[in-house]
Structures are given as structure tokens and as C-alpha cells.
Amino acid sequence: MLMEDHKRLIRELVEFLGAENVLEWKIPRERRIFITIKKEKLRDAVSYLKDHEGLTHITTITGVDAGDGIEVLYHLTKKDLSLTLKIKVPMEEPIVDSIVDILNGAILYEREVHDLLGVKFNGHPNLKRLILPDEWPEDVHPLLKKWSVDEIRRVIDGKRW
């Protein structure tokens, strides 16, 4: 029964967002769904999942340098389901709209992804540093593949903290 319910959720989300905005989906096992959407539909998808499916708990937001962009993954849960919503932002302009006003729990996770990967969250109430020191160079995001440990040390040493 759960698998059928998961397929219904996906079918209704695709209908709500438009098939052209849902790039991929999979159900690898019971109680687990992955959905990739266009970044422009993120807020609509999160609102829909919250209001229609009861996915009100965000466990974390993660990100990864995929080479051709940054993948941002929103991990949402409820009692019988873990759903990951994935978007991709371009490396040269890593900007996406904040979801803090929809799911308040995203406030620290967006700051963490901003610190470590440089993604800017439009509408976030306060994107100040969370993990990295305040003195950390603004353009150095340590989880981007372009930064090796040696290169980060060179930049930090050059700033003479």
C-alpha cells in the first residue's frame, strides 16, 4: 500500500508542477522517494509537499559540487516517508529562492550550504556565517571541487588572519 501511495504522491506532484518541471523521480525502496525538479519550482514543490502531503519536517539541506553545477538536496520527512527534493543551480550563478518562510527549520541549513558551497538563498533573513569563521575569505567555499586544501591554505595565509 505504501508504494502505491508514493506513486500517487509523485503523480499528483507532477500534475501540480507540470511534467516539464519534474526532471526525474525514483522510489528505490519503501518509504523513500527522490525527485529532481527545476529550481524555479522549488518553492511551489515544498509548499505543495507541506500542505498536501504533510511533509513539514526538514531534516537537512545538503549540497554537492556536481562539476557542471551545484546540486542542492532538500530532505523532508514525515512518519512513513523520507523524500529528497533535488535541484541544480549553475556554478557561475548559484542562486535559489529561500524556503525559510515555508519551512522555518531550513534557516540554519541554508546558511550552512551558503558557507560551504556559496549558494545564495534569495529571501533568507540572515545569510551570515554559520560554520566558517567570520574572517574566512568570502569567495572561498571549501566544498567546491575547485578548492584543494593547499589552495585554501595559500589564500588563508595570504590574508594573514
Side-chain angles (χ1 to χ4, degrees):
M1 182 62 181
L2 278 177
M3 209 58 112
E4 286 306 312
D5 197 39
H6 297 347
K7 289 177 183 175
R8 176 208 48 81
L9 181 156
I10 292 168
R11 196 171 46 252
E12 291 177 3
L13 182 64
V14 168
E15 185 177 313
F16 176 75
L17 296 177
E20 68 280 4
N21 295 305
V22 178
L23 307 174
E24 178 182 44
W25 63 267
K26 63 183 171 180
I27 305 172
R29 64 182 180 278
E30 211 170 82
R31 297 185 168 98
R32 195 70 180 102
I33 300 174
F34 293 89
I35 304 172
T36 304
I37 62 170
K38 291 184 179 177
K39 76 172 190 157
E40 296 80 15
K41 291 298 183 174
L42 175 67
R43 289 179 52 81
D44 292 339
V46 171
S47 291
Y48 178 88
L49 292 168
K50 176 185 173 191
D51 296 342
H52 294 85
E53 298 297 335
L55 286 156
T56 58
H57 181 72
I58 184 160
T59 58
T60 193
I61 300 172
T62 56
V64 64
D65 179 342
D68 62 341
I70 298 170
E71 293 178 351
V72 183
L73 297 94
Y74 298 78
H75 306 278
L76 309 171
T77 63
K78 66 179 185 178
K79 180 181 172 187
D80 61 348
L81 177 63
S82 291
L83 185 144
T84 297
L85 201 56
K86 180 170 78 172
I87 63 167
K88 189 179 249 181
V89 296
M91 194 66 74
E92 59 280 354
E93 194 177 356
I95 300 169
V96 66
D97 289 333
S98 173
I99 63 162
V100 168
D101 61 318
I102 302 167
L103 295 175
N104 198 340
I107 196 162
L108 296 178
Y109 302 131
E110 288 183 355
R111 286 176 57 194
E112 179 182 15
V113 172
H114 175 68
D115 258 9
L116 300 176
L117 289 159
V119 176
K120 293 174 183 65
F121 293 89
N122 281 337
H124 191 285
N126 184 3
L127 272 180
K128 72 177 186 174
R129 295 265 185 226
L130 179 67
I131 295 180
L132 300 174
D134 290 339
E135 305 82 23
W136 190 268
E138 282 295 318
D139 59 341
V140 177
H141 302 285
L143 292 187
L144 293 178
K145 292 178 182 177
K146 72 178 186 177
W147 292 105
S148 69
V149 172
D150 290 338
E151 289 169 333
I152 291 172
R153 281 190 182 124
R154 183 181 49 74
V155 170
I156 289 172
D157 288 346
K159 298 279 183 186
R160 299 196 182 170
W161 289 18

mmCIF file of all heavy atoms in Angstrom, residues 9-40:
data_model
loop_
_atom_site.group_PDB
_atom_site.id
_atom_site.type_symbol
_atom_site.label_atom_id
_atom_site.label_comp_id
_atom_site.label_asym_id
_atom_site.label_seq_id
_atom_site.Cartn_x
_atom_site.Cartn_y
_atom_site.Cartn_z
ATOM 1 N N LEU A 9 1.618 10.201 -4.791
ATOM 2 C CA LEU A 9 2.248 11.461 -4.426
ATOM 3 C C LEU A 9 3.017 12.024 -5.613
ATOM 4 O O LEU A 9 2.866 13.200 -5.964
ATOM 5 C CB LEU A 9 3.179 11.253 -3.225
ATOM 6 C CG LEU A 9 3.911 12.468 -2.676
ATOM 7 C CD1 LEU A 9 4.276 12.238 -1.223
ATOM 8 C CD2 LEU A 9 5.139 12.844 -3.457
ATOM 9 N N ILE A 10 3.824 11.204 -6.237
ATOM 10 C CA ILE A 10 4.620 11.658 -7.382
ATOM 11 C C ILE A 10 3.719 12.091 -8.528
ATOM 12 O O ILE A 10 3.916 13.154 -9.119
ATOM 13 C CB ILE A 10 5.601 10.561 -7.833
ATOM 14 C CG1 ILE A 10 6.663 10.349 -6.755
ATOM 15 C CG2 ILE A 10 6.240 10.912 -9.173
ATOM 16 C CD1 ILE A 10 7.500 9.110 -6.948
ATOM 17 N N ARG A 11 2.729 11.279 -8.835
ATOM 18 C CA ARG A 11 1.798 11.600 -9.925
ATOM 19 C C ARG A 11 1.116 12.954 -9.684
ATOM 20 O O ARG A 11 1.059 13.802 -10.578
ATOM 21 C CB ARG A 11 0.757 10.474 -10.027
ATOM 22 C CG ARG A 11 -0.028 10.435 -11.287
ATOM 23 C CD ARG A 11 -0.882 9.165 -11.428
ATOM 24 N NE ARG A 11 -1.642 8.794 -10.235
ATOM 25 C CZ ARG A 11 -1.354 7.754 -9.437
ATOM 26 N NH1 ARG A 11 -0.324 6.977 -9.693
ATOM 27 N NH2 ARG A 11 -2.114 7.491 -8.380
ATOM 28 N N GLU A 12 0.661 13.199 -8.466
ATOM 29 C CA GLU A 12 -0.021 14.452 -8.156
ATOM 30 C C GLU A 12 0.942 15.636 -8.131
ATOM 31 O O GLU A 12 0.585 16.733 -8.554
ATOM 32 C CB GLU A 12 -0.788 14.320 -6.838
ATOM 33 C CG GLU A 12 -1.975 13.387 -6.964
ATOM 34 C CD GLU A 12 -2.731 13.159 -5.661
ATOM 35 O OE1 GLU A 12 -2.378 13.781 -4.628
ATOM 36 O OE2 GLU A 12 -3.678 12.343 -5.673
ATOM 37 N N LEU A 13 2.167 15.421 -7.652
ATOM 38 C CA LEU A 13 3.160 16.499 -7.678
ATOM 39 C C LEU A 13 3.520 16.864 -9.115
ATOM 40 O O LEU A 13 3.619 18.045 -9.455
ATOM 41 C CB LEU A 13 4.414 16.105 -6.888
ATOM 42 C CG LEU A 13 5.502 17.180 -6.820
ATOM 43 C CD1 LEU A 13 5.005 18.415 -6.053
ATOM 44 C CD2 LEU A 13 6.770 16.625 -6.171
ATOM 45 N N VAL A 14 3.702 15.860 -9.963
ATOM 46 C CA VAL A 14 4.000 16.114 -11.386
ATOM 47 C C VAL A 14 2.858 16.896 -12.025
ATOM 48 O O VAL A 14 3.093 17.858 -12.770
ATOM 49 C CB VAL A 14 4.264 14.790 -12.140
ATOM 50 C CG1 VAL A 14 4.279 15.008 -13.654
ATOM 51 C CG2 VAL A 14 5.563 14.149 -11.673
ATOM 52 N N GLU A 15 1.647 16.510 -11.729
ATOM 53 C CA GLU A 15 0.483 17.231 -12.261
ATOM 54 C C GLU A 15 0.468 18.675 -11.762
ATOM 55 O O GLU A 15 0.218 19.606 -12.531
ATOM 56 C CB GLU A 15 -0.801 16.514 -11.842
ATOM 57 C CG GLU A 15 -2.054 17.113 -12.443
ATOM 58 C CD GLU A 15 -3.290 16.323 -12.047
ATOM 59 O OE1 GLU A 15 -3.270 15.092 -12.143
ATOM 60 O OE2 GLU A 15 -4.278 16.968 -11.627
ATOM 61 N N PHE A 16 0.766 18.888 -10.490
ATOM 62 C CA PHE A 16 0.757 20.224 -9.898
ATOM 63 C C PHE A 16 1.860 21.108 -10.495
ATOM 64 O O PHE A 16 1.618 22.261 -10.849
ATOM 65 C CB PHE A 16 0.924 20.120 -8.375
ATOM 66 C CG PHE A 16 1.011 21.445 -7.683
ATOM 67 C CD1 PHE A 16 -0.113 22.227 -7.488
ATOM 68 C CD2 PHE A 16 2.239 21.919 -7.231
ATOM 69 C CE1 PHE A 16 -0.033 23.457 -6.848
ATOM 70 C CE2 PHE A 16 2.331 23.151 -6.596
ATOM 71 C CZ PHE A 16 1.196 23.925 -6.405
ATOM 72 N N LEU A 17 3.077 20.574 -10.599
ATOM 73 C CA LEU A 17 4.218 21.367 -11.088
ATOM 74 C C LEU A 17 4.277 21.454 -12.604
ATOM 75 O O LEU A 17 4.857 22.387 -13.147
ATOM 76 C CB LEU A 17 5.538 20.764 -10.588
ATOM 77 C CG LEU A 17 5.787 20.766 -9.093
ATOM 78 C CD1 LEU A 17 7.095 20.059 -8.779
ATOM 79 C CD2 LEU A 17 5.789 22.181 -8.530
ATOM 80 N N GLY A 18 3.714 20.465 -13.293
ATOM 81 C CA GLY A 18 3.840 20.351 -14.744
ATOM 82 C C GLY A 18 4.961 19.366 -15.055
ATOM 83 O O GLY A 18 6.055 19.455 -14.475
ATOM 84 N N ALA A 19 4.697 18.435 -15.930
ATOM 85 C CA ALA A 19 5.660 17.372 -16.245
ATOM 86 C C ALA A 19 7.004 17.928 -16.704
ATOM 87 O O ALA A 19 8.049 17.339 -16.443
ATOM 88 C CB ALA A 19 5.073 16.441 -17.304
ATOM 89 N N GLU A 20 6.996 19.077 -17.371
ATOM 90 C CA GLU A 20 8.237 19.667 -17.865
ATOM 91 C C GLU A 20 9.146 20.157 -16.737
ATOM 92 O O GLU A 20 10.334 20.419 -16.955
ATOM 93 C CB GLU A 20 7.942 20.812 -18.840
ATOM 94 C CG GLU A 20 7.316 22.050 -18.212
ATOM 95 C CD GLU A 20 5.808 21.980 -17.947
ATOM 96 O OE1 GLU A 20 5.193 20.913 -18.182
ATOM 97 O OE2 GLU A 20 5.251 22.998 -17.493
ATOM 98 N N ASN A 21 8.613 20.278 -15.537
ATOM 99 C CA ASN A 21 9.383 20.781 -14.394
ATOM 100 C C ASN A 21 9.899 19.683 -13.465
ATOM 101 O O ASN A 21 10.661 19.955 -12.549
ATOM 102 C CB ASN A 21 8.533 21.763 -13.584
ATOM 103 C CG ASN A 21 8.212 22.989 -14.407
ATOM 104 O OD1 ASN A 21 9.104 23.643 -14.920
ATOM 105 N ND2 ASN A 21 6.931 23.290 -14.548
ATOM 106 N N VAL A 22 9.473 18.462 -13.708
ATOM 107 C CA VAL A 22 9.955 17.317 -12.931
ATOM 108 C C VAL A 22 10.904 16.545 -13.840
ATOM 109 O O VAL A 22 10.500 15.945 -14.830
ATOM 110 C CB VAL A 22 8.794 16.433 -12.444
ATOM 111 C CG1 VAL A 22 9.314 15.226 -11.682
ATOM 112 C CG2 VAL A 22 7.838 17.255 -11.576
ATOM 113 N N LEU A 23 12.184 16.587 -13.523
ATOM 114 C CA LEU A 23 13.215 16.044 -14.397
ATOM 115 C C LEU A 23 13.443 14.547 -14.203
ATOM 116 O O LEU A 23 13.828 13.848 -15.129
ATOM 117 C CB LEU A 23 14.525 16.807 -14.192
ATOM 118 C CG LEU A 23 14.405 18.332 -14.324
ATOM 119 C CD1 LEU A 23 15.721 19.004 -13.968
ATOM 120 C CD2 LEU A 23 13.952 18.709 -15.722
ATOM 121 N N GLU A 24 13.206 14.077 -12.979
ATOM 122 C CA GLU A 24 13.448 12.664 -12.683
ATOM 123 C C GLU A 24 12.817 12.326 -11.341
ATOM 124 O O GLU A 24 12.676 13.195 -10.480
ATOM 125 C CB GLU A 24 14.966 12.437 -12.607
ATOM 126 C CG GLU A 24 15.395 11.036 -12.273
ATOM 127 C CD GLU A 24 16.909 10.906 -12.174
ATOM 128 O OE1 GLU A 24 17.557 11.779 -11.560
ATOM 129 O OE2 GLU A 24 17.429 9.920 -12.696
ATOM 130 N N TRP A 25 12.439 11.089 -11.173
ATOM 131 C CA TRP A 25 11.960 10.618 -9.881
ATOM 132 C C TRP A 25 12.252 9.135 -9.763
ATOM 133 O O TRP A 25 12.362 8.435 -10.762
ATOM 134 C CB TRP A 25 10.485 10.911 -9.655
ATOM 135 C CG TRP A 25 9.551 10.230 -10.606
ATOM 136 C CD1 TRP A 25 9.069 10.740 -11.775
ATOM 137 C CD2 TRP A 25 8.999 8.915 -10.483
ATOM 138 N NE1 TRP A 25 8.251 9.829 -12.392
ATOM 139 C CE2 TRP A 25 8.191 8.691 -11.612
ATOM 140 C CE3 TRP A 25 9.101 7.903 -9.536
ATOM 141 C CZ2 TRP A 25 7.490 7.503 -11.813
ATOM 142 C CZ3 TRP A 25 8.413 6.716 -9.737
ATOM 143 C CH2 TRP A 25 7.610 6.532 -10.862
ATOM 144 N N LYS A 26 12.417 8.688 -8.524
ATOM 145 C CA LYS A 26 12.587 7.253 -8.292
ATOM 146 C C LYS A 26 12.187 6.901 -6.871
ATOM 147 O O LYS A 26 12.256 7.729 -5.954
ATOM 148 C CB LYS A 26 14.009 6.793 -8.599
ATOM 149 C CG LYS A 26 15.084 7.403 -7.746
ATOM 150 C CD LYS A 26 16.457 6.917 -8.202
ATOM 151 C CE LYS A 26 17.541 7.691 -7.483
ATOM 152 N NZ LYS A 26 18.866 7.279 -7.870
ATOM 153 N N ILE A 27 11.754 5.673 -6.730
ATOM 154 C CA ILE A 27 11.400 5.109 -5.430
ATOM 155 C C ILE A 27 12.313 3.893 -5.260
ATOM 156 O O ILE A 27 11.987 2.802 -5.704
ATOM 157 C CB ILE A 27 9.915 4.688 -5.379
ATOM 158 C CG1 ILE A 27 9.000 5.863 -5.750
ATOM 159 C CG2 ILE A 27 9.562 4.137 -3.996
ATOM 160 C CD1 ILE A 27 7.534 5.483 -5.918
ATOM 161 N N PRO A 28 13.482 4.071 -4.636
ATOM 162 C CA PRO A 28 14.422 2.958 -4.535
ATOM 163 C C PRO A 28 13.980 1.855 -3.576
ATOM 164 O O PRO A 28 14.406 0.713 -3.697
ATOM 165 C CB PRO A 28 15.716 3.619 -4.054
ATOM 166 C CG PRO A 28 15.270 4.847 -3.356
ATOM 167 C CD PRO A 28 14.016 5.295 -4.048
ATOM 168 N N ARG A 29 13.149 2.222 -2.623
ATOM 169 C CA ARG A 29 12.612 1.251 -1.666
ATOM 170 C C ARG A 29 11.403 1.885 -0.974
ATOM 171 O O ARG A 29 11.150 3.075 -1.094
ATOM 172 C CB ARG A 29 13.680 0.834 -0.659
ATOM 173 C CG ARG A 29 14.165 1.965 0.225
ATOM 174 C CD ARG A 29 15.260 1.510 1.183
ATOM 175 N NE ARG A 29 15.716 2.573 2.022
ATOM 176 C CZ ARG A 29 16.602 3.498 1.693
ATOM 177 N NH1 ARG A 29 17.145 3.476 0.491
ATOM 178 N NH2 ARG A 29 16.952 4.446 2.534
ATOM 179 N N GLU A 30 10.720 1.064 -0.225
ATOM 180 C CA GLU A 30 9.552 1.552 0.503
ATOM 181 C C GLU A 30 9.948 2.684 1.445
ATOM 182 O O GLU A 30 11.024 2.665 2.043
ATOM 183 C CB GLU A 30 8.966 0.397 1.320
ATOM 184 C CG GLU A 30 7.474 0.496 1.488
ATOM 185 C CD GLU A 30 6.905 -0.777 2.074
ATOM 186 O OE1 GLU A 30 6.974 -0.928 3.308
ATOM 187 O OE2 GLU A 30 6.402 -1.602 1.290
ATOM 188 N N ARG A 31 9.103 3.692 1.538
ATOM 189 C CA ARG A 31 9.288 4.857 2.416
ATOM 190 C C ARG A 31 10.399 5.803 1.974
ATOM 191 O O ARG A 31 10.860 6.625 2.751
ATOM 192 C CB ARG A 31 9.531 4.421 3.860
ATOM 193 C CG ARG A 31 8.397 3.679 4.480
ATOM 194 C CD ARG A 31 8.658 3.396 5.949
ATOM 195 N NE ARG A 31 7.462 2.936 6.593
ATOM 196 C CZ ARG A 31 7.186 1.651 6.822
ATOM 197 N NH1 ARG A 31 8.039 0.731 6.464
ATOM 198 N NH2 ARG A 31 6.064 1.318 7.420
ATOM 199 N N ARG A 32 10.851 5.711 0.706
ATOM 200 C CA ARG A 32 11.950 6.564 0.224
ATOM 201 C C ARG A 32 11.659 7.016 -1.190
ATOM 202 O O ARG A 32 11.435 6.200 -2.076
ATOM 203 C CB ARG A 32 13.258 5.764 0.268
ATOM 204 C CG ARG A 32 14.482 6.615 0.134
ATOM 205 C CD ARG A 32 14.670 7.462 1.404
ATOM 206 N NE ARG A 32 15.849 8.289 1.313
ATOM 207 C CZ ARG A 32 15.817 9.582 1.041
ATOM 208 N NH1 ARG A 32 14.689 10.210 0.826
ATOM 209 N NH2 ARG A 32 16.917 10.278 0.989
ATOM 210 N N ILE A 33 11.677 8.353 -1.403
ATOM 211 C CA ILE A 33 11.429 8.927 -2.727
ATOM 212 C C ILE A 33 12.492 9.979 -3.005
ATOM 213 O O ILE A 33 12.847 10.770 -2.130
ATOM 214 C CB ILE A 33 10.034 9.606 -2.805
ATOM 215 C CG1 ILE A 33 8.912 8.603 -2.530
ATOM 216 C CG2 ILE A 33 9.838 10.268 -4.174
ATOM 217 C CD1 ILE A 33 7.529 9.242 -2.445
ATOM 218 N N PHE A 34 12.984 10.001 -4.238
ATOM 219 C CA PHE A 34 13.879 11.048 -4.730
ATOM 220 C C PHE A 34 13.205 11.705 -5.927
ATOM 221 O O PHE A 34 12.755 11.003 -6.841
ATOM 222 C CB PHE A 34 15.219 10.466 -5.182
ATOM 223 C CG PHE A 34 16.040 9.892 -4.067
ATOM 224 C CD1 PHE A 34 15.901 8.571 -3.688
ATOM 225 C CD2 PHE A 34 16.950 10.685 -3.385
ATOM 226 C CE1 PHE A 34 16.656 8.036 -2.665
ATOM 227 C CE2 PHE A 34 17.714 10.158 -2.348
ATOM 228 C CZ PHE A 34 17.563 8.833 -1.992
ATOM 229 N N ILE A 35 13.143 13.030 -5.925
ATOM 230 C CA ILE A 35 12.533 13.766 -7.032
ATOM 231 C C ILE A 35 13.452 14.923 -7.413
ATOM 232 O O ILE A 35 13.844 15.715 -6.551
ATOM 233 C CB ILE A 35 11.140 14.318 -6.658
ATOM 234 C CG1 ILE A 35 10.210 13.192 -6.177
ATOM 235 C CG2 ILE A 35 10.515 15.053 -7.843
ATOM 236 C CD1 ILE A 35 8.884 13.673 -5.613
ATOM 237 N N THR A 36 13.777 15.015 -8.699
ATOM 238 C CA THR A 36 14.586 16.125 -9.205
ATOM 239 C C THR A 36 13.669 17.055 -9.988
ATOM 240 O O THR A 36 12.937 16.607 -10.875
ATOM 241 C CB THR A 36 15.717 15.607 -10.121
ATOM 242 O OG1 THR A 36 16.504 14.658 -9.388
ATOM 243 C CG2 THR A 36 16.595 16.749 -10.599
ATOM 244 N N ILE A 37 13.733 18.347 -9.625
ATOM 245 C CA ILE A 37 12.875 19.336 -10.278
ATOM 246 C C ILE A 37 13.717 20.529 -10.739
ATOM 247 O O ILE A 37 14.857 20.696 -10.319
ATOM 248 C CB ILE A 37 11.753 19.829 -9.331
ATOM 249 C CG1 ILE A 37 12.351 20.539 -8.104
ATOM 250 C CG2 ILE A 37 10.842 18.686 -8.929
ATOM 251 C CD1 ILE A 37 11.340 21.255 -7.237
ATOM 252 N N LYS A 38 13.128 21.360 -11.572
ATOM 253 C CA LYS A 38 13.768 22.615 -11.955
ATOM 254 C C LYS A 38 13.755 23.546 -10.746
ATOM 255 O O LYS A 38 12.776 23.595 -9.990
ATOM 256 C CB LYS A 38 13.036 23.263 -13.126
ATOM 257 C CG LYS A 38 13.191 22.485 -14.412
ATOM 258 C CD LYS A 38 12.525 23.202 -15.569
ATOM 259 C CE LYS A 38 12.716 22.415 -16.856
ATOM 260 N NZ LYS A 38 12.018 23.067 -17.983
ATOM 261 N N LYS A 39 14.844 24.294 -10.588
ATOM 262 C CA LYS A 39 14.985 25.140 -9.393
ATOM 263 C C LYS A 39 13.879 26.193 -9.292
ATOM 264 O O LYS A 39 13.509 26.597 -8.198
ATOM 265 C CB LYS A 39 16.358 25.795 -9.327
ATOM 266 C CG LYS A 39 16.571 26.947 -10.259
ATOM 267 C CD LYS A 39 17.883 27.645 -9.972
ATOM 268 C CE LYS A 39 17.943 28.941 -10.748
ATOM 269 N NZ LYS A 39 18.841 29.909 -10.188
ATOM 270 N N GLU A 40 13.342 26.621 -10.410
ATOM 271 C CA GLU A 40 12.287 27.638 -10.393
ATOM 272 C C GLU A 40 11.006 27.137 -9.718
ATOM 273 O O GLU A 40 10.150 27.929 -9.333
ATOM 274 C CB GLU A 40 11.962 28.092 -11.826
ATOM 275 C CG GLU A 40 13.094 28.780 -12.537
ATOM 276 C CD GLU A 40 14.154 27.828 -13.117
ATOM 277 O OE1 GLU A 40 13.903 26.616 -13.218
ATOM 278 O OE2 GLU A 40 15.247 28.322 -13.443
#
